[in-house]
């Protein structure tokens, strides 16, 4: 076992030291989860629903504590941290409605009765990144539990604190031992052990496309079930007929929320050429007005980046001589700060920031002529997670939403995530869908049973 120092990214102070699990400890967690599965799968639907509601209410009762913990661990602004704790509560409530909903089918066949059962898979490992520790944990955990699986959560090395507390709260809410476990550990050690373990039936992985591909390959030998939520390089497409004031006022939030550390960040803004100059005039004050600072202050909109190493990576996208159109502000002194930054150049396609997922507060703006060019630019990426289209022409909005290769599109809005609608990526942004009414399908296998009603001759 090795120790890991958790750092407050706004102050650079050590918050806590967390022990990282060894492969043997991962094995022991799987053994406990397998044992717990035998009884959890048979808990009556009404009782499982009640336990999930109790879990949700326990999270709600601790929302101040969880939000404050996320502020210290991830540097998220306090208002956002409350949203995150509340999202976990709401996802648990939403899927608490699932165990009692009938899910099997009865299909007409000759000579008998044919029915389907949605069988839980067994032990599910949920591997979580550092950017939204609570929501992403919940999106895997809640439907997996509702379907009758037991869950091991492997939080990111940088952000284990809320996950560890949530594991304690699951027990306090009455969930039996072993049904929810939180295993802090290094990705290539404890995480990889969960991926390779023959008694783990499914991996839910959210993180980088690089590690996602590695995990996909590692799941192949055991034909292990897998959901992948990976990177993004989303386009925010603004047509000349749009409400330009609203488009410009909302564009900073669409990329700089969570300091750009968001898989759905609209990190490419495409603006129709005839309104490009006007849009930039409107965008500049909106970017300068982003309140960057102490995450404990309720007025703060953007906090620091997660770590010194990550800030260095983000800064690499804005080298000396980069075509910076304008920037917002960032505090001086301790903390991993980086100002909101807007890049613009006729040679935008040569910038690494145009092609790669920056995962920081850097956006590139580019002009386009017409719908065809906007579609070509938007789709010129291996990613396909989300995107926005701004236009007053309803037909164009629908045409564009169908043509842009992404799993989650919004017209005249930047909303990508609601726990009651499906979420996930096309192309290399992922595999499978989370959330929404069908999420339990990703945590069950369909079993078809035929019962003969004819007497054997
Ligand atoms: P990461 O891939 O480095 O790590 C994610 C998680 O995987 C961590 O818990 C890590 O410990 C673990 N891990 C690392 N190597 C592993 C291995 N070999 N085997 C098993 N587990 C391993 O990603 P990150 O830097 O924590 O997160 C940022 C990335 O996550 C970005 O690319 C972002 O776009 C993506 N993301 C995607 C979504 C989505 O829903 N599509 C949401 C949030 C973040």
């Amino acid at each position: 076992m090795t120790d890991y120092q958790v750092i407050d990214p706004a102050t650079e102070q050590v918050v806590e030291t967390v022990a990282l699990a060894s492969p043997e400890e991962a094995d022991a967690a799987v053994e406990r989860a397998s044992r717990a599965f035998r009884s959890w799968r048979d808990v009556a639907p009404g009782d499982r629903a009640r336990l999930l509601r109790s879990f949700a209410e326990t999270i709600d009762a601790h929302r101040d504590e969880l939000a404050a913990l996320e502020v210290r661990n991830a540097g998220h602004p306090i208002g956002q941290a409350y949203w995150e704790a509340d999202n976990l509560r709401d996802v648990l409530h939403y899927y608490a409605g699932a165990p009692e909903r009938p899910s099997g089918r009865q299909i007409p066949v000759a000579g008998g009765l044919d029915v389907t059962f949605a069988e839980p898979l067994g032990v599910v490992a949920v591997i979580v990144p550092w950017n939204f520790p609570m929501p992403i944990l919940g999106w895997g955990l809640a439907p997996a539990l509702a379907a009758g699986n037991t869950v091991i959560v492997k939080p990111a090395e940088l952000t284990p604190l809320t996950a560890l507390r949530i594991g304690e709260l699951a027990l306090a809410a009455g969930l039996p031992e072993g049904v929810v476990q939180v295993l802090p550990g290094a990705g290539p050690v404890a995480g990889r052990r969960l991926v390779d373990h023959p008694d783990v039936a499914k991996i839910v992985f959210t993180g980088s496309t690089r590690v996602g591909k590695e995990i996909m390959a590692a799941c192949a030998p055991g034909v292990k079930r897998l959901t992948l939520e990976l990177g993004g390089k989303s386009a925010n497409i603004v047509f000349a007929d749009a409400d330009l004031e609203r488009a410009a006022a909302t564009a900073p939030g669409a990329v700089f929320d969570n300091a750009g550390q968001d898989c759905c960040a609209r990190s490419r803004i495409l603006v129709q050429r005839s309104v490009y100059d006007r849009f930039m005039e409107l965008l500049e004050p909106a970017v300068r007005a982003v309140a960057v600072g102490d995450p404990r202050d309720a007025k703060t909109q953007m906090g620091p980046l997660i770590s010194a190493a990550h800030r260095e990576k983000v800064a690499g996208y804005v080298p000396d001589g980069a075509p910076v159109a304008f920037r917002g502000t960032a505090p001086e002194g301790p903390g991993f700060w980086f100002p909101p930054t807007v890049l613009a150049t006729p040679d935008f396609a040569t910038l690494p920031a145009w092609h790669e997922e920056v995962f920081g507060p850097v956006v590139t703006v580019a002009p386009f002529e017409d719908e065809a060019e906007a579609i070509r630019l938007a789709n010129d990426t291996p990613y396909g997670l989300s995107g926005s289209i701004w236009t007053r022409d309803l037909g164009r909005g629908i045409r564009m939403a169908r043509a842009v290769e992404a799993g989650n599109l919004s017209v005249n809005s930047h909303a990508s995530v609601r726990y009651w609608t499906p979420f996930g990526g096309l192309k290399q942004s992922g595999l499978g869908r989370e959330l929404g009414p069908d999420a339990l399908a990703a945590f069950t296998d369909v079993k078809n049973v035929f019962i003969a009603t004819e007497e054997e001759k």
Side-chain angles (χ1 to χ4, degrees):
M1 193 186 279
T2 49
D3 285 343
Y4 189 88
Q5 284 193 331
V6 176
I7 308 284
D8 180 336
T11 63
E12 302 185 34
Q13 300 295 310
V14 176
V15 179
E16 216 172 299
T17 300
V18 171
L20 297 180
S22 64
E24 294 71 31
E25 284 163 318
D27 290 348
V30 175
E31 166 62 29
R32 283 192 293 274
S34 301
R35 225 176 310 121
F37 174 64
R38 285 175 221 137
S39 40
W40 178 245
R41 63 173 301 162
D42 293 330
V43 170
D47 292 336
R48 208 186 299 148
R50 229 184 330 278
L51 284 166
L52 285 175
R53 282 197 291 273
S54 160
F55 192 6
E57 280 150 21
T58 307
I59 296 294
D60 194 46
H62 292 81
R63 67 192 283 275
D64 293 336
E65 179 195 345
L66 289 168
L69 200 53
E70 205 63 282
V71 171
R72 291 173 75 205
N73 192 165
H76 292 183
I78 181 71
Q80 177 189 325
Y82 270 111
W83 179 89
E84 293 170 17
D86 292 349
N87 181 265
L88 172 63
R89 172 201 63 204
D90 293 344
V91 170
L92 285 164
H93 268 307
Y94 180 70
Y95 289 109
E100 292 162 310
R101 302 286 185 278
S103 53
R105 306 172 81 184
Q106 181 263 313
I107 299 167
V109 290
L113 176 71
D114 192 281
V115 288
T116 66
F117 294 89
E119 302 283 11
L121 304 173
V123 178
V124 173
V126 180
I127 302 178
V128 182
W130 48 258
N131 63 330
F132 287 108
M134 283 191 276
I136 292 174
L137 173 159
W139 302 352
L141 178 68
L145 292 178
N149 304 281
T150 54
V151 176
I152 302 172
V153 174
K154 209 300 282 169
E157 293 86 327
L158 289 161
T159 54
L161 299 186
T162 47
L164 285 166
R165 187 67 184 119
I166 290 161
E168 294 168 0
L169 294 174
L171 287 174
L175 284 150
E177 289 271 350
V179 170
V180 177
Q181 296 178 79
V182 177
L183 188 79
V189 182
R192 181 59 194 244
R193 184 65 198 149
L194 294 173
V195 171
D196 289 335
H197 200 296
D199 294 336
V200 173
K202 159 134 194 168
I203 301 291
V204 179
F205 173 80
T206 305
S208 61
T209 298
R210 181 186 64 78
V211 176
K213 288 176 182 178
E214 221 178 285
I215 289 180
M216 193 172 180
C219 283
V223 196
K224 193 163 288 187
R225 276 80 183 119
L226 177 66
T227 298
L228 294 175
E229 296 288 0
L230 308 175
K233 191 68 205 170
S234 299
N236 176 10
I237 307 169
V238 182
F239 283 93
D241 66 3
D243 178 343
L244 281 192
E245 279 72 19
R246 255 185 74 212
T250 58
V255 58
F256 302 141
D257 274 4
N258 206 27
Q261 303 165 123
D262 183 340
C263 50
C264 291
R266 273 63 166 169
S267 58
R268 295 180 298 159
I269 306 180
L270 279 52
V271 186
Q272 199 156 20
R273 197 181 294 277
S274 58
V275 293
Y276 182 89
D277 291 343
R278 176 67 186 138
F279 181 84
M280 292 300 266
E281 268 170 34
L282 292 166
L283 183 64
E284 181 166 354
V287 168
R288 293 198 193 281
V290 176
V292 184
D294 181 0
R296 290 153 185 85
D297 182 339
K299 289 193 285 300
T300 293
Q301 294 169 305
M302 191 182 119
L305 292 169
I306 191 69
S307 67
H310 189 56
R311 179 172 61 179
E312 205 170 305
K313 178 173 171 257
V314 171
Y317 288 99
V318 192
D320 288 344
V324 175
F326 39 84
R327 300 186 100 158
T329 59
E332 304 279 323
F336 309 123
W337 305 99
F338 198 85
T341 301
V342 178
L343 304 178
T345 164
D347 298 326
F348 60 87
T350 62
L351 300 175
W354 173 256
H355 295 284
E356 296 170 21
E357 183 181 46
V358 177
F359 227 56
V362 179
V363 68
T364 311
V365 190
F368 69 85
E369 288 302 332
D370 53 15
E371 277 185 38
E373 189 178 19
I375 293 166
R376 185 181 60 72
L377 288 172
N379 290 343
D380 184 21
T381 167
Y383 295 114
L385 190 56
S386 61
S388 308
I389 298 140
W390 290 80
T391 175
R392 284 195 174 96
D393 178 335
L394 182 58
R396 165 180 282 159
I398 294 170
R399 277 196 304 279
M400 290 297 295
R402 299 299 301 273
V404 174
E405 295 163 351
N408 300 82
L409 287 152
S410 359
V411 180
N412 298 326
S413 160
H414 297 297
S416 287
V417 179
R418 292 187 179 83
Y419 58 82
W420 62 100
T421 59
F423 176 74
L426 301 188
K427 303 200 284 188
Q428 292 188 31
S429 281
L431 189 71
R433 291 292 176 272
E434 296 193 287
L435 301 175
D438 303 322
L440 265 66
F443 294 100
T444 51
D445 270 334
V446 173
K447 184 182 284 178
N448 191 73
V449 177
F450 171 72
I451 305 150
T453 51
E454 308 293 312
E455 284 188 31
E456 289 213 23
K457 302 220 165 80

